[in-house]
Amino acid sequence: MINKKLNYRAILSTFLGLVVVAAEILFLDGYLRKHIADSPQSVQHYTKWISDLETEKPDILFIGNSITDGGLDEKELSIKLNKKVSKVAIGGSHTAWWMLYIKNVILNSSYKPKYLVIIFRRNILTLPELRVKGRYYRNLAPLMTDDESLLNNLAYKRSLSPLEFFLYENFYIFREREFIKKQIEDWVKGKISLLFSNDKSLANKTIKKVFSTSHFDMQRLRKSQDKEEKILDSEQYDFNLAVESSFLPHMIEMLKNAGVKPIFIASKMRTSAKNHKQHPNYKDYFKDLRKYLNNKNIPFYILASDKRLQENHYADGDHFNEQGREIFTNIIQEKIEDVFSKQN
Amino acid sequence: MVFTSLSFFIFISVILILYWSTGSRRIQNIILLIGSYFFYGFIHPWFCFLLGISTVVDYFCGLGMKRYPEIKKRFLVISLCSNLGMLGFFKYFNFFIENVNAILIWIGVGSSELALSIMLPVGISFYTFQTLSYTIDIYKEELTPTKNFIDFALFVSFFPQLVAGPIERAQRFLPQIQNKRTWNTESFFSAIPLMIWGFFKKLVIADNVAIYANKVYLLESPTPIMLFAGTLAFTLQIFADFSAYTDIARASARLIGFDLIKNFNAPYLAVNPSDFWRRWHISFSTWIRDYLYIPLGGSRVDTHRKYIFVVVTTMGLSGLWHGASWNFVLWGFFHALILIVYRMLGKAGRWRPQNILSKCFSIAVMFFIIVFSWGLFRTHSVSWYFERSLSTPLGFGTDSLLPASVIVAFVFLYSSPLLISFKRNRIIGKSNFRLSVVCGFLIFLISIFGRDGSSDFIYFQF
């Protein structure tokens, strides 16, 4: 039996309540849009990257994330290769960032490097939606132009529900929420810092020091990173299925049109150094990736089986320590020289 | 299928449309049964097979006990063995083998390579207890078994509470399945604020404080003060996470005209250990009380020694129910210890605070005891936990006190909505306008502060 009596007053007051909230959100959105837009960005604007590229004029440009940033000594490499080597390595960046860099920096620059070396891990080349939301959005935003349909279609629309995508596209608050949250957290930390000293940033500095990976129990850290990697592992490890809906073909096409030769290097993870079991499709994935790149005459190197990188060369699950950095740089040098020799 | 996923919203929308489009109780139950199996199979299809076995065994055991009362004990044993056997195998087999190996190595015999890669069926601990309550109540002649298989199967598999409770009793829940459900606008719409509140607790409170707890528990050598701060964060996390699940489960059930038991009653305002267990995971603690504690003798045993045995057994098994790991067992033993101490010091469990000051004092003392106990629950190693808790220096230096203060500050910040919620009747009253403003504001806060990549509910692992 259905109770057909409707409480019109309840419906009206509910509707009014929601209208009030929506109005407040729109007002706040406009207010924050005006104020946040002027706040310091996490990375420089793409026009600055263009300017840097045109100034430095590297022969070989490395692109990657914190693994490359901490693991590659580009100055040492420059000396050993006798070439101008630069690197653009933003922590947490993955293919979305690298694609934007190629599209909005390299293609728009009057100077094009001869080689672009992309250092990546696992199957992230075919995971376009990885690290594009939350705090990673702030890394991407300065590289974006007004038209980023490729990014939206391959990354955001795939990782956001239609409602989330609508909110993302139309509400500044939603896009910048990690930044807003961080501002509030920094405000709280600043207040607490003042209880200890005059330095408002003391809390942030102390937290960074205390919670650095060197203070973590490596085994537990590995387990928690393994848990995250299982999340990665449950993603697409079927290369042929994933490649066409990834940024990879677009990146290769753009570089080809710009006359830049790409080189891909798959870095070695600590799990490989410890001979941990990888995802069951790991070997097939890389076999298919190699075939794909070979068909396009693109050099590709996999460091997973390189025995020179041992477990004690890692600071944590992904990043090299000082010793590892030296060995990694030497290995990269070797691979680049191999590319040169094959081309001669 | 996780409550916080888009697929769940689509699922429940479809269920609601189909469910309320028919007035037939029988068809409604069939829709819910199919929906529940779809919900459970979404996680992993073969889980449905296990659920089905449990359902069939207990259905026939229940009928068997009624038809052949002279051998009802045998049916009870079949039910207990099959349900606890499945639970034991899937949850505790590898734990058992690990401990046997450890003993074998200790005595120098070597070890067995028997460990299996066993996938733990989500929710098995919950639905096992739920079906056992059915057969045990029939055995005790407190319940008449149902002949309707669909009704019983729905009782076992009811999707809102299948994966992480609350554990419903057949006496309370089966009549709701067997009776006609009528549309009630007020009840239906009261579910929405409850669901929003549940999502807020999970996505904003639990998932954000989890970051602090996880970071502290990753440290190799946290100071006692740092460890306390991390454990305080976990204390808030586990309550917000688990109570959020219950709220969403209750709200989902209310949308289809069912009333699920409340699982929490301000547990951190408990004044003594017994009070805590009347407020925390109520459906589980009452199950343990009725089917384990009281049958073993309960508080009516005539000697202290017997009482200690009863409490230690009950709480140890309660701990073990949570997971195949010694830290859960020791967490249970710790609660046994405080219950025993309370009984001995607290007028055989009859002590109550006499005035507001003693009430505040007892709440504070109980709270710190509970926080300490959650550390046992959270830790990867009990010896590490004790070693770090008792280590020196305590951590009054800036490097420890400052981050700990930050964590404590965020715990207070994130717990403030919970504190405010105590006054919700005063804030909202009977005003739909105010209710919708508050709900709209909560949704707004969820969209801003809800973490990307929300984690699973903690109690899913049990």
Side-chain angles (χ1 to χ4, degrees):
Chain A
M1 189 176 76
I2 294 175
N3 176 5
K4 287 189 179 160
K5 261 190 187 168
L6 285 174
N7 187 337
Y8 291 104
R9 209 166 148 185
I11 293 169
L12 182 63
S13 58
T14 303
F15 176 72
L16 278 173
L18 294 172
V19 165
V20 164
V21 174
E24 283 169 356
I25 292 168
L26 283 169
F27 170 76
L28 191 60
D29 187 71
Y31 174 83
L32 286 171
R33 186 185 292 265
K34 199 173 140 196
H35 285 83
I36 286 178
D38 296 333
S39 64
Q41 298 292 316
S42 58
V43 299
Q44 59 190 17
H45 194 258
Y46 73 85
T47 49
K48 267 236 74 212
W49 287 111
I50 294 173
S51 164
D52 286 351
L53 187 61
E54 287 170 351
T55 308
E56 288 172 23
K57 294 187 167 53
D59 299 307
I60 306 168
L61 179 62
F62 281 82
I63 196 165
N65 46 35
S66 54
I67 296 171
T68 306
D69 189 31
L72 188 78
D73 185 345
E74 73 277 18
K75 291 189 176 68
E76 186 66 26
L77 204 54
S78 280
I79 297 166
K80 288 182 178 179
L81 291 173
N82 196 25
K83 299 268 182 210
K84 192 96 193 282
V85 177
S86 285
K87 77 179 177 200
V88 171
I90 301 299
S93 67
H94 280 62
T95 55
W97 203 94
W98 305 339
M99 182 279 295
L100 285 178
Y101 184 88
I102 294 168
K103 173 178 165 287
N104 297 331
V105 177
I106 292 180
L107 293 191
N108 287 328
S109 167
S110 60
Y111 176 81
K112 316 276 193 257
K114 292 189 184 62
Y115 297 94
L116 180 72
V117 185
I118 298 162
I119 299 179
F120 66 98
R121 63 179 179 126
R122 286 216 171 88
N123 60 337
I124 66 143
L125 286 184
T126 49
L127 293 175
E129 68 271 30
L130 201 60
R131 307 252 172 117
V132 297
K133 296 190 293 180
R135 60 191 169 100
Y136 302 111
Y137 170 76
R138 282 229 118 207
N139 286 351
L140 291 169
L143 257 72
M144 291 184 200
T145 59
D146 291 336
D147 174 25
E148 294 298 346
S149 49
L150 183 64
L151 179 72
N152 283 342
N153 288 336
L154 295 188
Y156 290 107
K157 278 186 180 166
R158 279 171 58 154
S159 57
L160 299 172
S161 65
L163 174 63
E164 280 176 307
F165 187 70
F166 170 79
L167 291 172
Y168 179 86
E169 270 213 313
N170 295 289
F171 289 93
Y172 206 75
I173 295 175
F174 192 76
R175 277 208 303 273
E176 294 281 10
R177 55 199 180 142
E178 285 296 326
F179 178 72
I180 295 167
K181 210 162 92 177
K182 190 166 183 315
Q183 294 296 293
I184 296 170
E185 285 173 1
D186 285 347
W187 181 84
V188 171
K189 286 176 192 170
K191 291 292 173 202
I192 292 173
S193 297
L194 294 175
L195 297 173
F196 289 78
S197 87
N198 291 329
D199 181 6
K200 261 178 153 179
S201 65
L202 182 64
N204 268 327
K205 287 181 203 162
T206 313
I207 285 170
K208 204 172 169 182
K209 187 171 88 176
V210 167
F211 291 109
S212 67
T213 52
S214 60
H215 290 147
F216 287 152
D217 178 289
M218 278 300 150
Q219 215 173 351
R220 276 181 276 135
L221 176 65
R222 181 65 264 173
K223 217 174 160 184
S224 107
Q225 286 175 339
D226 276 349
K227 208 174 166 188
E228 190 197 334
E229 282 157 16
K230 272 191 186 134
I231 294 169
L232 282 179
D233 285 349
S234 69
E235 297 283 10
Q236 296 161 20
Y237 258 100
D238 183 338
F239 177 81
N240 294 323
L241 194 66
V243 66
E244 290 311 319
S245 54
S246 72
F247 291 124
L248 183 61
H250 302 276
M251 284 160 66
I252 291 170
E253 186 66 26
M254 285 188 246
L255 288 169
K256 184 182 163 191
N257 291 341
V260 178
K261 295 190 184 72
I263 300 170
F264 287 88
I265 299 178
S267 180
K268 184 174 181 175
M269 298 289 99
R270 188 181 176 147
T271 44
S272 300
K274 284 175 79 169
N275 294 318
H276 278 183
K277 253 168 72 168
Q278 300 293 336
H279 190 279
N281 295 347
Y282 186 87
K283 276 191 178 153
D284 286 338
Y285 178 90
F286 277 97
K287 197 171 113 189
D288 291 335
L289 172 58
R290 184 183 286 290
K291 193 175 167 186
Y292 178 84
L293 293 174
N294 280 350
N295 285 345
K296 294 180 188 298
N297 293 319
I298 295 172
F300 172 46
Y301 299 94
I302 304 172
L303 305 188
S305 51
D306 195 315
K307 292 198 181 338
R308 287 172 285 181
L309 287 167
Q310 295 293 312
E311 197 192 334
N312 58 319
H313 296 139
Y314 291 83
D316 60 25
D318 297 340
H319 306 95
F320 299 110
N321 56 23
E322 204 48 55
Q323 209 184 352
R325 179 179 158 94
E326 202 183 311
I327 296 170
F328 183 67
T329 304
N330 289 339
I331 293 172
I332 299 297
Q333 176 204 347
E334 204 180 271
K335 303 306 177 199
I336 303 298
E337 283 170 349
D338 184 54
V339 171
F340 290 163
S341 67
K342 281 178 179 156
Q343 285 183 353
N344 294 336
Chain B
M1 199 185 296
V2 184
F3 279 170
T4 49
S5 65
L6 178 67
S7 42
F8 176 72
F9 274 109
I10 297 171
F11 166 79
I12 199 163
S13 303
V14 169
I15 291 287
L16 287 174
I17 291 166
L18 291 173
Y19 182 83
W20 288 116
S21 63
T22 175
S24 162
R25 181 199 69 86
R26 196 170 153 269
I27 296 176
Q28 284 180 332
N29 284 357
I30 291 171
I31 291 169
L32 288 180
L33 181 63
I34 294 170
S36 298
Y37 269 79
F38 176 79
F39 175 87
Y40 197 47
F42 201 86
I43 302 168
H44 205 290
W46 84 276
F47 288 173
C48 294
F49 179 64
L50 285 177
L51 183 65
I53 292 176
S54 198
T55 304
V56 167
V57 166
D58 286 335
Y59 173 75
F60 285 109
C61 283
L63 288 176
M65 280 193 264
K66 172 88 176 160
R67 191 153 177 200
Y68 305 106
E70 63 280 7
I71 55 166
K72 64 179 182 176
K73 201 171 202 172
R74 287 189 206 178
F75 286 108
L76 180 66
V77 167
I78 291 170
S79 170
L80 286 170
C81 286
S82 61
N83 282 296
L84 294 177
M86 280 201 301
L87 179 65
F89 176 74
F90 287 101
K91 198 162 174 177
Y92 302 107
F93 181 80
N94 281 339
F95 175 63
F96 172 72
I97 292 296
E98 271 164 30
N99 283 281
V100 165
N101 281 342
I103 294 169
L104 290 176
I105 290 168
W106 183 60
I107 62 176
V109 169
S111 69
S112 148
E113 298 294 325
L114 191 53
L116 302 175
S117 175
I118 300 173
M119 190 189 286
L120 176 66
V122 174
I124 191 170
S125 305
F126 290 90
Y127 71 69
T128 298
F129 271 32
Q130 186 148 314
T131 56
L132 282 178
S133 79
Y134 174 78
T135 48
I136 295 171
D137 283 351
I138 293 171
Y139 177 79
K140 289 182 344 183
E141 292 172 17
E142 289 173 5
L143 180 72
T144 309
T146 178
K147 288 184 186 163
N148 189 319
F149 181 75
I150 301 287
D151 288 357
F152 178 70
L154 180 57
F155 163 71
V156 179
S157 64
F158 189 60
F159 75 87
Q161 42 92 251
L162 174 60
V163 174
I167 301 168
E168 280 289 350
R169 304 290 185 89
Q171 290 183 56
R172 186 184 181 277
F173 196 60
L174 210 43
Q176 293 188 55
I177 292 174
Q178 290 164 333
N179 292 338
K180 207 170 164 58
R181 273 89 56 191
T182 53
W183 172 271
N184 182 312
T185 311
E186 206 178 314
S187 177
F188 184 88
F189 282 104
S190 74
I192 295 168
L194 183 61
M195 195 172 270
I196 293 171
W197 179 234
F199 282 121
F200 177 82
K201 282 197 285 189
K202 168 61 178 164
L203 297 172
V204 175
I205 301 176
D207 284 354
N208 279 304
V209 292
I211 299 171
Y212 306 110
N214 292 343
K215 281 248 151 69
V216 169
Y217 275 86
L218 274 178
L219 289 171
E220 207 164 19
S221 310
T223 60
I225 280 181
M226 185 74 94
L227 190 58
F228 171 76
T231 312
L232 189 67
F234 181 70
T235 301
L236 177 60
Q237 178 198 348
I238 195 166
F239 171 64
D241 191 286
F242 195 15
S243 64
Y245 183 90
T246 303
D247 286 347
I248 298 169
R250 293 181 69 225
S252 304
R254 204 181 285 181
L255 289 172
I256 43 181
F258 288 89
D259 175 45
L260 293 179
I261 187 174
K262 264 181 85 166
N263 228 359
F264 297 92
N265 181 18
Y268 296 150
L269 295 181
V271 294
N272 59 54
S274 302
D275 193 28
F276 174 75
W277 284 104
R278 282 193 291 272
R279 294 165 174 265
W280 176 270
H281 201 178
I282 295 167
S283 64
F284 172 74
S285 60
T286 51
W287 195 103
I288 291 290
R289 178 197 66 198
D290 294 342
Y291 298 113
L292 196 57
Y293 180 71
I294 290 175
L296 284 175
S299 56
R300 293 190 185 170
V301 291
D302 48 8
T303 65
H304 282 309
R305 196 185 286 183
K306 277 186 193 167
Y307 178 74
I308 289 170
F309 169 77
V310 168
V311 171
V312 167
T313 305
T314 305
M315 295 313 296
L317 288 173
S318 298
L320 188 62
W321 177 90
H322 283 82
S325 174
W326 284 113
N327 67 297
F328 293 122
V329 179
L330 286 164
W331 169 80
F333 285 157
F334 178 79
H335 274 277
L337 176 67
I338 58 175
L339 280 163
I340 291 164
V341 167
Y342 168 64
R343 184 179 160 97
M344 286 173 178
L345 298 178
K347 295 181 185 172
R350 288 190 298 274
W351 179 83
R352 295 288 180 274
Q354 299 304 309
N355 52 50
I356 191 86
L357 203 62
S358 65
K359 187 172 182 182
C360 289
F361 179 73
S362 49
I363 289 174
V365 168
M366 224 15 248
F367 181 73
F368 282 106
I369 292 172
I370 297 300
V371 170
F372 180 80
S373 76
W374 282 132
L376 286 169
F377 195 88
R378 174 64 177 80
T379 189
H380 65 287
S381 158
V382 174
S383 58
W384 174 88
Y385 182 66
F386 277 110
E387 186 232 314
R388 294 319 310 162
S389 298
L390 300 170
S391 65
T392 52
L394 285 177
F396 283 107
T398 306
D399 272 4
S400 168
L401 192 57
L402 179 46
S405 305
V406 167
I407 293 172
V408 170
F410 280 115
V411 169
F412 275 113
L413 197 67
Y414 280 109
S415 60
S416 55
L418 295 172
L419 299 170
I420 293 169
S421 73
F422 280 115
K423 295 287 174 199
R424 68 173 162 262
N425 287 337
R426 199 182 277 189
I427 295 168
I428 295 169
K430 286 191 168 52
S431 165
N432 286 305
F433 174 77
R434 272 185 249 162
L435 179 62
S436 56
V437 169
V438 167
C439 287
F441 185 58
L442 286 177
I443 293 171
F444 169 66
L445 290 177
I446 291 168
S447 63
I448 300 301
F449 293 102
R451 273 193 65 208
D452 268 323
S454 171
S455 56
D456 275 346
F457 288 90
I458 292 177
Y459 266 70
F460 272 20
Q461 63 184 302
F462 308 139

